[in-house]
Amino acid sequence: MFSINTYTKRRHRLKSKLNTGIALFMGNVDASMNYTNNTYHFRQDSTFLYFFGLDYPGLAGLIDFESGEEILFGDDFTIDDIIWMGPQPTLKQNAAKAGISQTHPFAKLKDIIGKALLQGRKIHFTPPYRGKNIIVLSELLNILPAQVKNQASLPLINACIALRSIKEPCEIEEMERHMQTAYRMHTTAMKMAQPGITEQEITGIVEGISMSGGGMVSFPVICSVRGETLHNHYHGNTLKLGDLLLLDAGSESPLHYATDHTRTSPVGGMFTQKQKEIYQIVFDANNKALAASRPGITYKEVHLLAARTIASGLKDLGLMRGDVDEAVAAGAHALFMPHGLGHMIGLDVHDMEDYGDTLVGYDEETPRSTQFGLAALRLGRRLEPNFVVTNEPGIYFIPALIDQWKAKGKHTAYINYDKLESYKTFGGIRLEDDILITETGNRILGERIPINPEDVEHMVKSGA
Amino acid sequence: MFSINTYTKRRHRLKSKLNTGIALFMGNVDASMNYTNNTYHFRQDSTFLYFFGLDYPGLAGLIDFESGEEILFGDDFTIDDIIWMGPQPTLKQNAAKAGISQTHPFAKLKDIIGKALLQGRKIHFTPPYRGKNIIVLSELLNILPAQVKNQASLPLINACIALRSIKEPCEIEEMERHMQTAYRMHTTAMKMAQPGITEQEITGIVEGISMSGGGMVSFPVICSVRGETLHNHYHGNTLKLGDLLLLDAGSESPLHYATDHTRTSPVGGMFTQKQKEIYQIVFDANNKALAASRPGITYKEVHLLAARTIASGLKDLGLMRGDVDEAVAAGAHALFMPHGLGHMIGLDVHDMEDYGDTLVGYDEETPRSTQFGLAALRLGRRLEPNFVVTNEPGIYFIPALIDQWKAKGKHTAYINYDKLESYKTFGGIRLEDDILITETGNRILGERIPINPEDVEHMVKSGA
Ligand SMILES: [Mn+2]
Ligand SMILES: [Mn+2]
């Protein structure tokens, strides 16, 4: 259970990692859509949420690593605000929920940071990603907006990564509880995967289930019969028999922990023979990666195991050839799976990506590769108990990439470009689960969303 | 029908209104939620949409009022982008859709604006509301972010208001077509208004229907059994018998024109006697305002007509007293309806609010009032054919406001505070339609969402 203690303990642990300077945690403000007062759903900054837990706009937190002081900055609502918005907690009440007694009006931040700068003290902050916070930081620090990001604090970033990588029992509980919303989103979409419906209609319902379940989608929904387009946010197609519907969608829990799953369903409920063969390879890769994930192994090794499973399966189909280990070492399989096996997940769907994904997913022991495909792997380092990671192998037939590689004569020893021609309209399949690394191995969080090809077919048919 | 001509004509009209300087139209970029690459649904800037119609991030438009030149700035996708995102139109292709032949890479904007500034030329732009565009403008204009908004161009703003206030046939057609999504959102919510369901569940489904209908919600959904809280975005309550559910929700059409409707439904399907009485007064106010709206009348007059209808109805119930005209002139009714009757609606739900709502809704002939209640009216000026406006009277019993006024002894000649005590838990009722001002009067856009109290009861019961 989350409590005041959750947040005081986290700040206490952070203080044990840094000894000098001041950390400034900028909460988010409302993000404007088309004019100032017309805003998107409020999303608090994840670092601020982690250390303060306060899900309101217009706040900032400060920790002085030398004096030990903790201060919350914000402004109380006026009586007029309360008339329009209903009763609102005061700044003091909010601060108390985070275990903080010292509060100041937001404008006071300028004085306090200004004084600290005059004293030559270091101001630690994580890299901002929203324009309005970049502007506030540029004004507080007296530097140009373009200089702000470069001055983010590596020691603070590293300390945050160390803490947030290991999920606490209350975090795992929150994440697992919310998996039922993910289950509902994906099984509902499977049932809707019938000829004649549009991607947009399914996307809308999936987003609605997320909202009904307590929070907004954790990232822009990918709902497409063109699953080979990895970052596809076009939803204008109408489903037809023979299509594969790829849905990569997640939801934020009430406390803003993310889910992230992908399923690929045959429109109308029957895989073709060709689809079944490719699906089975991806399913095998997912299961092998799952079986291998445990403390002590690097996720890079798990990624390469999934890659070998895919290369081996494609060799059996005659699409690849030669020695599987050599093909994977050369990166030939990346024509079919150009992305990584997975990433950390937590308060962010790509957890802590605002800190920089190489800092989050790699370390001195396991540096990031520059090879096409492997370079896209977000998490490579050694797994530890209470990491939560995604396991998402896929096989795609990307016409533009196939044409590019073929023209360059890339990896002809391992790829049968002739046979590939007949797969160029196939599309793509990805299968993604969220898994918790335990002391001895791992487990899937929540009830596993139907993934056996027969179960998926059955689920789609049940919606017809 | 929208066509290339739609946009070239609009720019042509704009050029006829301004003779000197350069207008810079900043399109929006993707808005980050919790890290740079995790973004909200893209929403283009409305002014950019109006003059260029291009619904992609990362663009800017320029019109030179002296040379007549029109330029589109942006960057083409790389082959790597296309591998991940699928085939994408080129900048040239996009420019052609807007009837523009001259294009430049985005970075070129800096040179061109820099040169114009050196020549002492005026750069016209509308007030930015997103941090990232404020930063870009501050860099282009070589001023601090805090100075950018003040340098927005009043002549450009006024020209845009003159054009956008009068909706073109293609705009009216687009708006009317999308009213069926609004109808589905509201009637679905009515059917869901049963005891035991949460506000959050209904909100989720309503958002989902909007997305399925082609676009995101046009503003944050208000879905509440505490309708007296005017800006209520808390959705944690569970509906129970006796509650009134107030839903104020709208959807963006595929071309980003907004709908905006409010209905108030009795949970379970039966208004109480007390609810029926208040509902009937609001319904009368809505119908009288509708009947009065036509070219030539000011919307301030229509607002005051609705106010008198409300004061008169509340007088019949013994909640107000004294002379109705005098009470409304004094602003006593604003205890019950502290907001305005309506606003323009178009590409924004509060159309053009980024320009400043007093500039949009008032003029020299009809200045904005400072009286509590009337001051909140966003549109006061004389109506003209092809304005689209909302008609949204309401009655609310706001405990904090009642207590404040009572303590101050405000308007005791007109308000029966004793009788009011028994209404302090009543809540609030608002009824809102979107209406088009025609040559001779007006018409409601789309099929009217059920609003007769009996029709609403029937709709709710049909969902039980
Ligand atoms: Mn993922
Ligand atoms: Mn409205």
Side-chain angles (χ1 to χ4, degrees):
Chain A
M1 269 272 295
F2 283 77
S3 69
I4 295 178
N5 236 340
T6 308
Y7 302 103
T8 53
K9 237 194 245 162
R10 287 172 178 177
R11 293 194 304 271
H12 186 76
R13 284 204 203 108
L14 182 67
K15 286 174 177 177
S16 76
K17 289 178 181 287
L18 288 162
N19 302 315
T20 57
I22 287 173
L24 172 59
F25 301 90
M26 293 293 304
N28 282 332
V29 295
D30 273 313
S32 299
M33 291 195 288
N34 48 338
Y35 52 87
T36 303
N37 287 331
N38 202 27
T39 56
Y40 288 106
H41 288 292
F42 176 66
R43 179 52 160 81
Q44 184 58 288
D45 175 71
S46 295
T47 307
F48 187 87
L49 268 182
Y50 187 79
F51 290 110
F52 300 91
L54 300 170
D55 198 8
Y56 309 94
L59 300 173
L62 185 149
I63 298 176
D64 187 322
F65 294 118
E66 290 159 55
S67 70
E69 267 184 313
E70 300 176 331
I71 313 177
L72 184 70
F73 295 84
D75 293 313
D76 273 317
F77 290 96
T78 65
I79 172 74
D80 286 330
D81 293 329
I82 290 167
I83 286 167
W84 302 105
M85 302 169 68
Q88 300 292 325
T90 65
L91 181 64
K92 276 274 173 226
Q93 287 169 336
N94 277 334
K97 286 183 223 162
I100 289 180
S101 53
Q102 208 181 337
T103 62
H104 284 309
F106 198 90
K108 187 88 196 271
L109 199 47
K110 180 84 187 156
D111 302 346
I112 291 182
I113 297 295
K115 202 173 292 175
L117 288 172
L118 280 176
Q119 294 169 343
R121 300 188 66 193
K122 168 83 182 163
I123 312 295
H124 302 273
F125 57 91
T126 57
Y129 45 87
R130 290 204 184 177
K132 285 182 182 166
N133 273 349
I134 293 172
I135 292 172
V136 172
L137 284 166
S138 90
E139 288 169 351
L140 288 174
L141 303 171
N142 225 336
I143 54 179
L144 287 175
Q147 300 171 317
V148 172
K149 237 181 154 168
N150 301 331
Q151 302 209 5
S153 160
L154 191 58
L156 178 62
I157 288 171
N158 282 331
C160 290
I161 291 172
L163 292 175
R164 288 177 57 187
S165 293
I166 311 293
K167 267 61 182 177
E168 302 164 17
C170 62
E171 294 182 288
I172 293 164
E173 199 188 308
E174 170 81 6
M175 290 182 81
E176 185 136 39
R177 190 183 312 116
H178 197 58
M179 290 295 158
Q180 58 184 313
T181 298
Y183 191 96
R184 269 217 295 152
M185 287 162 72
H186 280 273
T187 52
T188 302
M190 284 176 187
K191 289 180 198 161
M192 288 179 80
Q194 310 301 333
I197 198 167
T198 66
E199 297 163 345
Q200 183 69 31
E201 285 174 85
I202 299 174
T203 302
I205 297 304
V206 164
E207 292 208 5
I209 294 170
S210 178
M211 280 295 300
S212 289
M216 56 188 192
V217 290
S218 48
F219 58 94
V221 171
I222 298 171
C223 175
S224 182
V225 294
R226 300 261 47 94
E228 80 279 11
T229 305
L230 300 182
H231 293 172
N232 200 342
H233 301 131
Y234 172 78
H235 299 140
N237 294 309
T238 299
L239 278 57
K240 57 184 196 312
L241 277 180
D243 283 341
L244 290 171
L245 180 73
L246 185 150
L247 178 70
D248 188 349
S251 174
E252 289 202 345
S253 77
L255 295 178
H256 300 286
Y257 286 82
T259 73
D260 182 12
H261 295 86
T262 309
R263 289 293 183 269
T264 310
S265 307
V267 173
M270 285 277 281
F271 287 110
T272 65
Q273 182 58 29
K274 222 169 172 178
Q275 289 169 347
K276 209 175 283 183
E277 289 165 358
I278 300 292
Y279 191 101
Q280 189 61 46
I281 301 171
V282 180
F283 188 34
D284 288 346
N286 177 299
N287 284 327
K288 286 206 176 153
L290 181 70
S293 295
R294 60 177 183 278
I297 194 169
T298 66
Y299 214 49
K300 183 177 169 181
E301 289 172 77
V302 184
H303 170 94
L304 290 171
L305 171 64
R308 284 192 300 272
T309 309
I310 283 168
S312 161
L314 292 173
K315 184 180 170 182
D316 292 345
L317 292 181
L319 291 164
M320 291 189 72
R321 58 189 171 208
D323 183 82
V324 165
D325 290 355
E326 285 172 18
V328 168
H333 66 284
L335 176 61
F336 305 99
M337 178 172 144
H339 64 68
L341 181 66
H343 47 85
M344 292 214 173
I345 179 168
L347 280 168
D348 309 300
V349 61
H350 292 168
D351 209 21
M352 305 174 270
E353 188 168 299
D354 52 330
Y355 302 160
D357 62 356
T358 302
L359 292 172
V360 172
Y362 292 89
D363 55 17
E364 276 179 35
E365 184 204 357
T366 313
R368 193 165 192 157
S369 166
T370 56
Q371 187 187 61
F372 179 83
L374 196 49
L377 177 64
R378 285 195 167 80
L379 174 64
R381 65 185 167 114
R382 218 167 273 288
L383 298 178
E384 297 177 36
N386 300 318
F387 277 20
V388 182
V389 304
T390 67
N391 169 21
E392 48 178 312
I395 294 179
Y396 316 89
F397 297 88
I398 307 171
L401 190 60
I402 295 170
D403 292 346
Q404 194 197 55
W405 279 34
K406 190 176 178 180
K408 289 186 187 167
K410 271 189 93 166
H411 298 306
T412 46
Y414 306 116
I415 295 166
N416 183 349
Y417 286 105
D418 289 343
K419 175 122 194 201
L420 209 43
E421 283 301 316
S422 64
Y423 280 81
K424 273 171 84 175
T425 58
F426 180 97
I429 291 176
R430 178 165 65 252
L431 297 171
E432 177 179 22
D433 291 316
D434 301 339
I435 69 180
L436 169 71
I437 306 303
T438 60
E439 293 297 329
T440 54
N442 74 72
R443 63 184 177 82
I444 289 175
L445 283 178
E447 185 182 349
R448 196 176 197 186
I449 297 166
I451 189 167
N452 262 296
E454 301 75 27
D455 293 345
V456 172
E457 287 185 335
H458 184 261
M459 187 61 76
V460 175
K461 279 184 205 146
S462 77
Chain B
M1 271 274 293
F2 283 79
S3 69
I4 296 178
N5 236 338
T6 308
Y7 303 102
T8 52
K9 238 195 243 162
R10 287 172 178 176
R11 294 194 304 271
H12 186 77
R13 284 204 203 107
L14 181 67
K15 287 175 177 175
S16 76
K17 289 178 181 289
L18 288 161
N19 301 314
T20 57
I22 286 172
L24 173 58
F25 300 90
M26 294 291 305
N28 282 332
V29 295
D30 273 314
S32 299
M33 289 195 292
N34 48 339
Y35 52 88
T36 304
N37 288 330
N38 202 28
T39 57
Y40 289 106
H41 288 294
F42 175 66
R43 179 52 160 84
Q44 184 57 289
D45 175 70
S46 297
T47 306
F48 187 87
L49 269 182
Y50 187 79
F51 290 110
F52 299 90
L54 299 171
D55 199 7
Y56 309 92
L59 300 173
L62 185 150
I63 298 177
D64 188 322
F65 294 118
E66 291 159 55
S67 72
E69 267 183 313
E70 301 176 332
I71 312 177
L72 184 71
F73 295 84
D75 293 313
D76 273 317
F77 290 96
T78 65
I79 174 74
D80 286 329
D81 293 329
I82 290 166
I83 286 167
W84 303 104
M85 303 169 68
Q88 300 292 325
T90 64
L91 182 63
K92 276 275 175 225
Q93 287 169 334
N94 277 334
K97 287 184 221 159
I100 289 179
S101 53
Q102 209 181 335
T103 62
H104 285 310
F106 198 90
K108 186 86 196 272
L109 200 48
K110 180 85 188 156
D111 302 345
I112 290 181
I113 298 293
K115 200 172 294 176
L117 287 170
L118 281 176
Q119 294 169 340
R121 300 188 67 193
K122 167 84 182 163
I123 312 296
H124 301 274
F125 57 90
T126 58
Y129 45 88
R130 291 207 184 175
K132 287 183 181 167
N133 274 349
I134 292 172
I135 292 172
V136 172
L137 284 166
S138 90
E139 290 168 351
L140 288 175
L141 303 171
N142 224 336
I143 55 180
L144 288 174
Q147 300 173 317
V148 173
K149 236 180 155 168
N150 302 330
Q151 301 208 6
S153 160
L154 190 59
L156 178 61
I157 289 171
N158 282 330
C160 290
I161 291 172
L163 291 175
R164 288 176 57 188
S165 293
I166 310 294
K167 267 63 183 176
E168 301 164 17
C170 61
E171 294 182 289
I172 294 165
E173 200 190 308
E174 170 81 6
M175 291 183 80
E176 186 137 39
R177 189 184 313 115
H178 198 57
M179 291 294 157
Q180 58 185 314
T181 298
Y183 191 98
R184 269 218 295 154
M185 289 162 70
H186 280 275
T187 52
T188 302
M190 285 176 187
K191 290 180 198 161
M192 290 180 79
Q194 310 300 335
I197 198 167
T198 65
E199 296 162 345
Q200 183 71 33
E201 285 174 87
I202 299 174
T203 302
I205 297 304
V206 164
E207 292 208 5
I209 294 170
S210 179
M211 280 295 299
S212 289
M216 57 186 190
V217 290
S218 48
F219 58 93
V221 171
I222 298 171
C223 175
S224 181
V225 294
R226 301 261 46 93
E228 79 279 12
T229 305
L230 299 182
H231 293 172
N232 200 340
H233 301 132
Y234 173 77
H235 299 140
N237 295 306
T238 299
L239 277 57
K240 57 183 197 313
L241 277 181
D243 283 342
L244 288 172
L245 179 72
L246 186 150
L247 177 70
D248 188 349
S251 174
E252 288 202 345
S253 76
L255 295 178
H256 300 286
Y257 286 83
T259 74
D260 182 12
H261 296 85
T262 310
R263 289 294 184 268
T264 309
S265 306
V267 173
M270 285 276 283
F271 287 110
T272 65
Q273 182 58 28
K274 223 170 171 177
Q275 288 169 347
K276 208 175 284 184
E277 289 165 359
I278 300 293
Y279 191 101
Q280 188 62 45
I281 300 171
V282 180
F283 188 34
D284 288 347
N286 178 298
N287 284 326
K288 284 203 179 158
L290 181 70
S293 295
R294 62 176 182 277
I297 195 170
T298 68
Y299 215 49
K300 183 177 170 184
E301 288 172 77
V302 183
H303 170 93
L304 290 171
L305 171 64
R308 284 192 300 271
T309 309
I310 282 169
S312 163
L314 292 173
K315 184 180 170 181
D316 293 344
L317 292 180
L319 290 163
M320 289 189 73
R321 59 192 169 205
D323 183 82
V324 164
D325 289 356
E326 285 172 17
V328 168
H333 67 284
L335 176 60
F336 304 99
M337 177 172 147
H339 64 67
L341 181 66
H343 47 85
M344 291 213 172
I345 180 168
L347 280 169
D348 310 301
V349 60
H350 291 168
D351 209 21
M352 305 175 269
E353 188 166 300
D354 53 328
Y355 301 160
D357 61 357
T358 303
L359 290 173
V360 172
Y362 292 88
D363 55 18
E364 277 179 35
E365 184 204 358
T366 313
R368 192 164 192 159
S369 166
T370 56
Q371 186 187 62
F372 179 82
L374 196 49
L377 176 63
R378 284 194 167 82
L379 174 64
R381 64 185 167 114
R382 220 166 272 288
L383 299 178
E384 297 177 37
N386 300 318
F387 277 20
V388 181
V389 304
T390 67
N391 169 22
E392 49 177 313
I395 295 179
Y396 316 90
F397 297 88
I398 307 170
L401 190 60
I402 293 170
D403 292 347
Q404 195 197 54
W405 279 35
K406 191 177 177 179
K408 290 186 185 168
K410 270 187 92 167
H411 297 308
T412 46
Y414 305 117
I415 295 167
N416 183 347
Y417 286 105
D418 289 343
K419 176 122 195 199
L420 209 45
E421 282 302 316
S422 64
Y423 279 81
K424 272 170 84 175
T425 59
F426 181 95
I429 291 175
R430 178 165 63 254
L431 297 171
E432 176 178 21
D433 292 315
D434 301 339
I435 68 180
L436 168 71
I437 307 303
T438 59
E439 293 298 328
T440 54
N442 73 72
R443 63 184 178 82
I444 289 175
L445 282 179
E447 186 183 349
R448 197 176 197 185
I449 298 167
I451 190 168
N452 261 296
E454 300 75 28
D455 293 345
V456 173
E457 288 185 336
H458 184 261
M459 188 62 77
V460 176
K461 280 184 204 146
S462 77

